[in-house]
Amino acid sequence: MRSTVSATYSSCPNTETGRVSPRLANRTLSVVIVSSLLFIAGCAVQNVDDELGYKPKIRSPLSVNSEVGSLSDQLAKWMKIEGEATEEGASETPCEVDGSNDQHFYSRHFWSIYNLTKGTLGGAMNELRDRFQGPEWELTKDGRDGSKANSPELRATHRSTGHTVFAVWRSNRSGGNVDLINFIVESRCYEAPRPK
């Protein structure tokens, strides 16, 4: 007749003193730390995607800045006006969203056009409105900006690139300030390649 042996398994065996052995304790602590770091990293990546509503592509900041600058050039042509424009170029700005890291950016270009020698600012806004109602764009706002002057504002998003344009016509300005159209042109958030 075969004897039956009963045994129980403990994942944390004790020593004779009732304490966990130092070697096992260190190993357990290491596993807990690594698991926690992996969990945190996973949540960070998920939070960025969830908050943005898309997964940022890996792109070169110089390439995205150039793309945004080209869009600003295109806007200037669409308005069919001539005048003076500010000359600052597009630059990268950190994406400040939950879980983002130091490699998440978007490109932004602030610029203005003023002192017209051809056309009018009102006509320029109409030209932009017509373009933003085309199939490549979604016109997300056509109204007032909510400022004290309550200036006319257009907002639009490019359907394929996700680039956004904010255009505000600031007219009848006080203190001798000239009338102008302010632009903010922005890319979507992207992830810059990590240095090798």
Side-chain angles (χ1 to χ4, degrees), residues 48-185:
V48 172
D49 297 358
D50 289 347
E51 186 163 341
L52 293 173
Y54 59 89
K55 183 175 180 61
K57 295 180 179 178
I58 297 177
R59 302 198 59 192
S60 158
L62 289 177
S63 173
V64 183
N65 288 345
S66 176
E67 204 171 273
V68 167
S70 294
L71 177 53
S72 291
D73 292 342
Q74 188 64 60
L75 295 172
K77 292 176 183 176
W78 286 348
M79 291 187 291
K80 300 178 180 177
I81 57 178
E82 293 178 7
E84 296 181 51
T86 53
E87 297 183 359
E88 293 86 356
S91 59
E92 60 269 19
T93 301
C95 286
E96 295 180 355
V97 295
D98 287 344
S100 63
N101 59 38
D102 57 359
Q103 297 301 115
H104 288 108
F105 299 96
Y106 66 97
S107 291
R108 173 184 276 181
H109 188 197
F110 288 103
W111 63 284
S112 304
I113 189 161
Y114 55 97
N115 287 345
L116 299 190
T117 57
K118 175 185 175 183
T120 65
L121 295 175
M125 291 291 279
N126 288 335
E127 293 290 344
L128 291 174
R129 182 180 294 106
D130 289 345
R131 290 285 185 165
F132 293 153
Q133 290 174 337
E136 294 183 347
W137 290 87
E138 179 184 0
L139 182 62
T140 58
K141 182 174 181 179
D142 183 359
R144 300 283 172 166
D145 70 346
S147 66
K148 186 175 180 180
N150 212 22
S151 302
E153 179 183 26
L154 298 173
R155 295 185 185 183
T157 302
H158 195 274
R159 295 184 188 276
S160 63
T161 65
H163 295 341
T164 56
V165 175
F166 303 80
V168 180
W169 174 20
R170 305 200 182 280
S171 60
N172 302 316
R173 304 175 75 204
S174 61
N177 293 314
V178 297
D179 293 355
L180 50 77
I181 297 178
N182 281 140
F183 287 92
I184 303 175
V185 184

